[in-house]
Amino acid sequence: MAFKYHIVCVCLALFIFCATSSIQPTKLVDEVCHSTSSYSLCVESLYTDPRTPSADRYVLAYISFRLAFLNASSTQDHIAKLLNHTKAKAKAKAKAGPTQQVLRRCYHDYNKAVSALSSAYNDLNSETFSELVDWAGAASLASDACQVVVKTTYPPLTTMNLD
């Protein structure tokens, strides 16, 4: 069971939100965030939701997947804007370049991430948790796949992928 919550918290690495540095995490948040790659990002992200101070593991999972979904959706929207911008530039030059191919790939990857996170949320709602770890992993892999093709081409997108 702890492994499932570890994977849930790894999803927190998909996003970043601003928060104050004076947060005193609960014992549960402290435990969960210490199992992630970025303790401070985890704590700051969770505490953007007012339910966190009184959350049990179940509610904390909801918060985590909700925040991950919002971040993945925002990243997908950002990629769509970049893609539209590069399409207009390519149209002016009468050819599609490698930039569009990279962005199309990332857009496709984030379709997978958003879909996986939506499925994870539905799994939480069903209270079966049967595929929660798989959905979390699929979302993480999708953002990683985008990062592989983006590399250093789009620094803001790199930051969003890592979040």
Side-chain angles (χ1 to χ4, degrees), residues 7-8 11 14 61 64-66 68-70 72-73 76 107-124 131-143:
I7 295 298
V8 169
C11 285
L14 295 172
S64 298
F65 278 104
R66 181 184 142 274
F69 177 85
L70 291 173
S73 297
Q76 184 181 34
Y107 188 81
H108 178 70
D109 291 334
Y110 271 90
N111 273 338
K112 290 179 186 178
V114 168
S115 176
L117 291 166
S118 178
S119 295
Y121 208 76
N122 289 334
D123 200 41
L124 276 170
E131 297 180 60
L132 195 57
V133 172
D134 295 335
W135 293 125
S140 180
L141 288 174
S143 67

Side-chain angles (χ1 to χ4, degrees), residues 82-102:
L82 288 172
L83 189 55
N84 286 334
H85 179 72
T86 60
K87 279 182 186 176
K89 286 173 101 176
K91 195 173 189 177
K93 293 180 182 179
K95 67 175 187 170
T99 301
Q100 283 185 299
Q101 292 170 353
V102 166

